[in-house]
Amino acid sequence: MGTVNVINVAAKHKPAWYQRLYSYSIANGLWITLKHFIKAAFLKGAVTLEFPEKKRKFSPRFRGMHTMKRDEIGRERCTSCFCCMWICPADAIKIEAGHVTPEIQHLHPEDKFAKKFEIDLLRCIFCGMCEEACPKGAIYLDGPAEMAADNREDLILTKERMMQKVGGPILGERL
C-alpha cells in the first residue's frame, strides 16, 4: 500500500494573535458599517436602489423566470418530449402532450405539442437543468426577476404565461 500525504489545513492557515481577539472582529464589523454610512450619508453613493423606478442590472448568467420560445416562423418549439420534466430534480414541471391535428398544423413543427405545460415555482430550485435538457431550445430561464405573488396560484407558471409572442433564433450557450 502507498502512503497518503495528509495536509492539516487548520494548522496551515493559523490566524495571527490579534485576529483571535473578540474585539478585533467587532472593530472590523464596525469599520465596514462606518464606511457604508459615510458613503451613503455624505458622498451620495447610496447602497440601495429605489426599486420601482430603478431596476438592477443582472449578470448574463442570471436565471430569472422561465420563458418558452417560438421559432423564426412563430411556431411553438416545445414538442413535449418530456426531457425537462424527467430531468427536473425538484419535480416542478408537469407536461400533458397532445397530438397535432390538421387545423393547428401551422402552429406546431412536429406531430406532438404540449397541451398543458406547468412549472410550480414553489418547488422550482432554478437550477437550469430543464434549459440544458431541452433538445429544441424551447425553455430558457431568462425572464423577469420579479417573482412576488399574493397567492399560490400565481406562482404556477402556465404555458400561456411563459410563451413569447414573437419568434427568434435559438439562443447560444450560457456564459
Side-chain angles (χ1 to χ4, degrees):
M1 292 186 57
T3 59
V4 177
N5 292 335
V6 178
I7 299 172
N8 190 351
V9 177
K12 193 174 184 181
H13 299 289
K14 214 167 178 76
W17 65 272
Y18 60 88
Q19 290 176 329
R20 287 182 280 174
L21 296 175
Y22 180 71
S23 57
Y24 175 77
S25 299
I26 295 292
N28 250 353
L30 287 174
W31 174 247
I32 292 169
T33 304
L34 183 66
K35 282 195 308 188
H36 282 290
F37 172 72
I38 291 171
K39 182 179 175 185
F42 301 113
L43 302 177
K44 302 295 183 213
V47 179
T48 58
L49 289 173
E50 302 295 326
F51 171 64
E53 294 83 26
K54 296 181 184 175
K55 302 286 185 185
R56 179 178 173 203
K57 284 189 76 168
F58 291 106
S59 162
R61 296 177 55 170
F62 174 74
R63 294 186 183 126
M65 193 82 79
H66 302 74
T67 57
M68 290 187 73
K69 306 292 183 181
R70 294 182 183 268
D71 62 6
E72 293 84 0
I73 306 170
R75 301 179 297 183
E76 295 178 11
R77 282 208 179 115
C78 181
T79 58
S80 65
C81 65
F82 300 105
C83 287
C84 58
M85 187 174 87
W86 289 330
I87 203 164
C88 181
D91 197 28
I93 301 174
K94 303 289 181 245
I95 301 173
E96 187 180 315
H99 289 286
V100 176
T101 59
E103 297 87 39
I104 58 171
Q105 182 70 40
H106 65 283
L107 297 174
H108 307 284
E110 295 188 21
D111 60 344
K112 271 190 348 184
F113 74 102
K115 185 171 16 176
K116 187 175 180 183
F117 192 103
E118 291 182 348
I119 298 178
D120 189 357
L121 291 180
L122 296 171
R123 295 187 63 118
C124 181
I125 58 174
F126 295 92
C127 63
M129 291 179 76
C130 56
E131 178 181 25
E132 293 175 17
C134 184
K136 302 292 182 179
I139 187 165
Y140 283 92
L141 277 72
D142 61 353
E146 294 86 24
M147 294 185 232
D150 292 338
N151 53 18
R152 289 179 174 263
E153 288 79 28
D154 290 343
L155 292 173
I156 295 177
L157 291 178
T158 60
K159 179 178 161 181
E160 291 76 27
R161 284 182 59 196
M162 290 187 291
M163 188 64 69
Q164 286 190 335
K165 303 290 184 241
V166 294
I170 292 180
L171 302 177
E173 292 183 355
R174 288 221 173 256
L175 301 174

